[in-house]
């Protein structure tokens, strides 16, 4: 009985099969990429070739038509079993068309035919193989308050600022860059710019060097007088930091696949260590240590945690699909989407914590062997630790968001 | 957005509606029954009248046709919001027809037409309003090893022994009594006897007096030379303590609804305290304490735990339904059912723990007020504590069962 | 090897011996007092007779001269092993002379001879057998902001307001009542009034009825136009809510003995259940369940927690003694006392949580038997739950206080 | 108020001062040694020069005369604040003379003058600057059952086998190698051999490459036909795996200093992150993030854990000192020493877990910055994870040992 997340749609089944294949291939080089800190270009090349990277693009634009965060999560879980870095980098792109599709649905039903058409154009581009990423994180601020500034220029805008944690940047073709623009009254409006790789003034550094997720290419991207034509700049004139339905959709969509990745890392650690304790023996009895009660107890704790993670991912992704993909768009109010995000943040808090706990227990179960560099467990232990750092929200902030929604208060953090 | 478990079938919807109604009615007297330790006869009378108590009997025998542990769990969750004792007592009976139906399905597909027919007869009896219970627990042993002895008598068997924790005994009409019979070689075989209320030699005590679940009527039932005719005695000649698919089905079915009850208690505590902190103010600011960060943090922790419990119940009950109700009976091997039980025990361990934690946090959030007898929180705190004590398995044993299954070992405990 | 807290002083040794004796005597009636909710007058009579209740009064005034929070805590730990309610009620009084002595020391070294002399008078009164209590808690506010008002009257003050959780009130002779007095500018000053039992306008209700600590007599005390002569009213003109060294001393002194009581409850639960699992057997093996690994695991978890509680109590009480009793009074700044309280609140948070966890595990280990009213474990489970509710701080607020001190911020809560 | 462990003896004060100095010096190169995996020869050279490495040798043999596990732990805590690898490697040697002294005390009082004299000789050697280590761990067995075999040879013994986790091996002069010798009846006796560095047949590999503690030089040491003269071989003819007082003394002494090291790592992480959150600001408010409640909550959790670790280390080291250094040797029975070890294992379980939790929270508090290789937090996170892997006991086995002692059973693990 396979209690991992199982795909529910035909596209999902295909996606998960591909994920299994790519995971197996990636696993061969994951130790090397981790050690040296290189980006797995070859893995992404294969994922582009197989159609995996266009999975979430509608079929008419050349994709697999995957349109379910549940199935997306199921697949990323498998992929992360091979290499966690690759899974979080792939998610960065895969969730992009999904959000476009949902946005398009809301546009159509809201009567904004132009927007819906524009999004068709973008989906066609993505279906053609373009790799996209959201280039959002900056030091000294949160996601809602980008400091990178766009200033009006002739025929467009000029960007200045620095983004960090630019996962997937080594191969991304299209960067969606969040920014702010100053108004005359000293306040700011929010905006987003599409920047194509190679644009003058965009410098994609090669400086990602971290404790884990070392193959994710999460480099700094610096924008210095980087020009963006008007047609690639979007602002709805919202105040800098304004919360809205779209923000909530992006947060939930962006997080759920990541949770799948961390689940997959925990599952991989569990598999390795269960195999190990079944075969390793210990003097004086020289019986397999799996027969020892302390070992059984710890394995049970891992499996209790995995059951918890999986249940939360299954239910949360189903909720997202039901509300955002299937629900009446007229009912998708900010309040409702806050509740979806509330569920998502509960899942994130637990899944990240339990995934870390599971890998930690696997390390304990391994005796000292998992602590050696030669064992893959150390990498899993370092990779899985990235989960709680991902925004929004880290455990620094999650309780405040969750609690405020629970209590019917405005979730803006203090 | 209502994130409580939602019924999926028509019968389930009706069942949950009835549960809501009965919960509201029961809530009025729950404090009184708790204080005095009386059994809520009036609540059960109402539940019999409304058809709630025959919900899991097939429609052709007069029931609602509810045939989903998921929907059963959803309803018991609601009922427990009114009174936890009533919910666990109702589960004792409601799960009975469900198990009969599944057993019947296996009989039919296994070609045992006689058994299938017998079960039809039993379901008709239950459809007619008979209240049944499993009378299993005894001191000094586990469920697999009943000490109550059945000895061959003229035309039947004589029972001697004592059962404890006989939940629902004040109104049960039919007791399914687990027992053992001595063989000539000094070993024992397992057996089960149906005993109708009022049979000579059966003494249903009125001695249930516990920390919580005080309205559940979990009395001792003593059997002293209690005669059971051959037609009401069942044995397959299995060795005393033999594990088998039916045992595993009973364990999972018997537990999942109980978990719903404990979930419902936690949800009730959460509702009360959230309402309280939204309205209570505190000097010197005299602002609602819901605005305080410590309060928000604790409420968030409750909601994180509730999200966890619900996700585990949803997934686990779905797995039970898929395997036991819908799966190919030929594939329902002992190994597969061990895996289902593994999932169920993971859910039990977490759900019980988290339900207790949630009520405990609600108590903390209430300041000292929830500690006063006048508040219902104290009852919820005492009731919810029963969860981990319920067999199988308590936390004394659960890790060993889970771990051994995880490791592919025989789950018989040391 | 007895790893419970061991007294370090001669007075402490005597105190602990007496505590052991009184605990044994109290244990006989603890179930009865708990059931009926009566105050154990006989136990307090015996404790007065033996000198236990004057233990913290200096020897020259007739006491044992106990002057160590460490030894006080050690003794209350033992007493609570017999009856937790009695221990927390006794602490209410026992800590009183201790604080007077420390205050006197600060007065003397600060050159306030009058105050030092006054305190001598008070200590003499306490040495004569007067039972004192702090009557502080009120609904809708925190300890620093009493709502009970003192208004100027001829020759003194008139008190109006209601105190709750008045532990020990059934036998207290002297109530130290925190209050506020209105100033002309609409602000308030803090004050304290000594009220002797039987003063007109003081009504000591008999309304304590709670989940646990049912024998602690924590009644409401209502003050209605209760006159207090000028000589028994103290105010230093501090603003209502002002924090200061004395407040911090009172908080730490008041809490540490309570922690001892909760430790003692946990130790009692542990003793009972260890005895039980060593002797109880279970079929089919009929071996003592102590030989089962799940049982060993849970017992280990209890002992790990008890080791943690004891270590924290030992270190924290030592710190209090070193700073408040032995340290240079000139160095006992508010900042330093905040740090002492920081340590105390860390200990409180962990000790309360771990004491609750330990009793909960004892309940689990007992199988269902500890859940029966006939078992003392249920009482221990209800009593120990009072710990986190006690102010300051409950877990609603503790993290904010601790975190702010850790970060060098003003600890005033938001 | 400095709540870190404070030395109690004059030698301890000197030791802690030296530890502070060496920690500061080591911190400069800790990142480099961690990255490359090199052994910090220069740090140990300095520690030899300063007298730090001979601290536990009696003064008459040229040491500082440090004879307190409490003060040893206090010092290792400080040293680990600079470099955890150095602290655990130093402990390996520092605990050696301490155990010799205790053993000598038992010998004298037990009347074994020869042994006492021999130990004097050994202490003199150590006082002269010889660096010693216990070379015990092997794969596939526990510490009590060495597989390395000693076979009788002309004038001595020949060793064959492989030791792992040989911390400090790059500079150790003297290896105490645990082994077994075959008896004629097919059973084994335990033995210990002293092997001087450079002995023929001893190969000290340079293969330590692990997740953390990368500068500890925990290499394999292979013994191939390594001859040991009779005078350097010790066996008391005990059966292989026999438990005894000396074993228990070695376990507690060997563990307590290590716990100090892990405490020091957690303290270092705490210092860094508290400094960071006090100074880092975040848009849009641009106020220090220390003012955020989520940050305060997490910092509080760290400080609660540090308070717990310190209290347990203080109490446990005091117990060891009182029993092993100060207690009547006639009373130091195996039972008593099991109880001391029970306390030690409780402390180990909690301290390791809480130290890891604290560093993990520091990482969370740092936002993503602590995850970057440029930050020292990643190293602390990897180093601190070694704690639970250290024997005996890891969490795989600790509960069984603790629980069995708690229940009065023989602690031999199943």
């Amino acid at each position: 009985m396979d209690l991992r997340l199982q795909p529910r749609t035909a596209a999902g089944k295909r996606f998960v099969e591909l994920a299994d294949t790519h995971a197996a291939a990636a696993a061969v080089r994951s130790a090397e990429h981790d050690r040296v800190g290189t980006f797995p270009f070859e893995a992404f090349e294969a994922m582009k070739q197989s159609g995996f990277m266009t999975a979430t693009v509608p079929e008419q634009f050349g994709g697999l038509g995957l349109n379910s965060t549940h199935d997306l999560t199921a697949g990323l879980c498998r992929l992360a079993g091979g290499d966690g870095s690759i899974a979080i980098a792939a998610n960065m792109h895969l969730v992009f068309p999904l959000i476009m599709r949902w946005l398009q649905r809301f546009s159509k039903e809201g009567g904004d035919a132009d927007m819906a058409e524009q999004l068709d154009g973008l989906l066609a581009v993505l279906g053609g193989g373009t790799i996209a990423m959201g280039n959002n994180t900056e030091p000294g601020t949160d996601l809602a308050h980008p400091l990178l500034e766009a200033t009006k220029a002739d025929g467009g805008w000029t960007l200045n600022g620095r983004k960090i944690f630019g996962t997937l940047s080594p191969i991304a073709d299209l960067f969606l860059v969040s920014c702010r623009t100053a108004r005359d009254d000293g306040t700011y409006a929010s905006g987003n710019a599409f920047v194509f790789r190679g644009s003058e003034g965009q410098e994609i550094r090669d400086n990602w060097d971290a404790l884990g997720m070392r193959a994710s290419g999460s480099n700094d991207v610096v924008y210095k007088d980087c020009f963006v034509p008007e047609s690639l700049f979007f602002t709805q004139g919202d105040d800098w930091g304004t919360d809205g339905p779209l923000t909530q959709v992006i947060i939930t969509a962006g997080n759920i696949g990541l949770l799948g990745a961390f689940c997959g890392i925990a599952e991989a650690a569990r598999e390795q260590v269960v195999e190990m304790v079944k075969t390793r023996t210990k003097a004086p009895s020289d019986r397999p240590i799996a027969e020892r009660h302390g070992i059984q107890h710890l394995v049970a704790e891992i499996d209790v945690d995995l059951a918890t993670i999986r249940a939360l991912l299954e239910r949360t992704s189903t909720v997202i699909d039901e509300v955002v993909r299937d629900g009446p768009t007229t009912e998708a109010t900010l309040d409702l989407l806050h509740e979806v995000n509330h569920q998502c943040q509960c899942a994130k808090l637990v899944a990240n914590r339990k995934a870390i706990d599971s890998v930690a227990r696997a390390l304990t179960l391994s005796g000292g062997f998992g602590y050696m560099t030669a064992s893959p467990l150390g990498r899993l232990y370092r990779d899985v630790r990235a989960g709680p750092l991902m925004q929004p929200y880290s455990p620094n902030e999650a309780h405040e968001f969750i609690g405020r929604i629970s209590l019917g208060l405005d979730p803006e953090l203090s």
Side-chain angles (χ1 to χ4, degrees), chain A:
Chain A
M1 190 174 197
D2 187 352
L3 281 162
R4 293 181 299 174
L5 261 61
Q6 300 300 327
R8 292 168 175 167
T9 63
K13 282 193 177 57
R14 178 67 187 137
F15 180 67
V16 167
E17 283 167 15
L18 287 172
D20 279 336
T21 306
H22 291 303
V28 175
R29 297 192 57 187
S30 56
E32 176 195 343
H33 284 303
D34 172 62
R35 190 176 62 250
V36 191
T38 40
F39 187 81
F41 291 99
E42 75 291 348
F44 280 91
E45 193 53 43
M47 293 194 291
K48 286 164 88 166
Q49 294 292 336
S50 73
F52 184 84
M53 289 300 277
T54 44
T56 51
V57 172
E59 288 172 295
Q60 72 261 39
F61 298 118
L64 289 181
L66 180 72
N67 189 11
S68 155
T69 57
H70 176 274
D71 289 5
L72 175 68
T73 305
L76 289 168
C77 189
R78 305 296 179 91
L79 187 58
D83 192 314
S85 286
I86 293 177
I88 66 162
N91 178 64
M92 182 63 108
H93 165 76
L94 287 164
V95 80
F96 211 94
L98 219 50
I99 294 169
M100 298 299 109
R101 294 176 77 172
W102 294 339
L103 190 52
Q104 193 178 43
R105 180 176 163 244
F106 279 66
S107 302
K108 276 183 187 153
E109 298 181 14
D112 187 347
D114 283 359
M115 173 68 119
E117 200 175 322
Q118 268 187 312
L119 288 162
D120 259 2
L122 185 53
L123 286 166
V125 167
L126 295 168
T130 294
I131 301 295
M133 69 170 286
N135 203 193
N136 296 315
T137 310
E138 295 180 47
T141 189
D142 60 29
L143 290 182
H145 297 89
L147 303 176
L148 187 142
E149 288 211 39
T151 45
K152 200 76 194 76
D154 195 29
W157 299 75
T158 307
L159 307 182
N160 278 288
R162 180 166 66 101
K163 297 290 185 181
I164 57 175
F165 299 119
T167 302
L168 193 64
S169 58
I171 63 158
D173 302 302
L174 183 61
F175 297 72
L176 180 54
V177 184
S178 59
C179 56
R180 65 177 182 177
T181 65
R183 294 170 178 149
D184 291 344
D185 63 358
T187 64
Y188 292 96
S190 289
N192 281 287
F194 281 104
V195 178
F196 282 94
R197 187 185 200 86
S199 297
E200 198 173 342
Q202 183 198 47
E203 181 199 356
I204 301 161
R205 296 205 170 145
D206 182 17
N207 65 345
W208 175 245
D209 182 11
L211 178 64
M213 293 296 185
R214 295 175 54 77
S216 65
S218 304
N219 300 304
D220 289 5
V221 184
V222 181
Y223 296 86
K224 190 168 177 196
D225 297 331
C226 178
F227 178 77
V228 178
E230 196 66 63
S231 64
L232 294 177
F233 190 85
F234 302 86
T235 178
Q236 300 190 298
D238 286 341
D239 284 347
W240 187 52
T242 301
D243 189 11
L246 181 58
T247 304
Q248 296 299 317
V249 166
I250 292 171
I251 290 174
T252 52
N255 267 318
I256 191 73
L258 292 175
L259 298 184
F262 294 108
C263 176
I265 293 172
E267 289 175 337
R270 187 262 190 211
E271 286 314 300
Q272 291 201 16
V273 85
V274 161
E275 214 42 55
M276 184 187 289
V277 299
K278 278 165 145 177
T279 49
R280 278 183 62 198
T281 60
K282 210 164 175 182
S285 75
D286 287 327
R287 306 278 311 154
I289 61 173
E291 296 180 10
R292 298 187 167 211
H293 295 271
I295 299 294
Q296 292 168 11
H297 197 100
L298 273 164
V299 169
E301 289 186 335
I302 291 178
D303 277 3
V304 168
D305 279 354
L306 289 182
T308 301
I309 299 171
R310 289 164 177 163
L312 276 162
L313 295 198
E314 183 162 293
R315 185 161 220 243
T316 304
S317 58
T318 301
V319 165
I320 298 174
D321 284 349
E322 284 175 1
V323 171
V324 183
R325 184 191 61 190
D326 304 334
T329 54
T330 49
E331 291 181 9
T333 59
L334 182 56
D335 276 356
L336 178 63
L337 292 166
H338 277 155
E339 289 179 49
V340 174
N341 195 8
H342 180 275
Q343 169 71 21
C344 188
Q345 295 299 328
C346 290
K348 182 177 190 308
L349 204 64
V350 176
N352 281 331
R353 188 191 297 156
K354 297 298 183 191
I356 291 171
D357 288 351
S358 295
V359 182
R361 286 197 197 91
L363 209 48
T364 297
L365 280 162
S366 79
F369 290 95
Y371 199 67
M372 307 305 294
T373 300
S375 159
L377 284 174
R379 173 174 56 85
L380 299 177
Y381 186 68
R382 290 180 286 103
D383 283 356
V384 77
R385 190 56 188 76
L389 303 173
M390 295 198 170
Q391 292 294 335
Y393 294 102
S394 91
N396 293 347
E397 300 175 329
H399 287 96
E400 191 169 349
F401 174 83
I402 295 169
R404 294 185 68 86
I405 296 293
S406 297
L407 290 161
L409 301 172
D410 185 304
E412 181 152 322
L413 306 187
S414 63

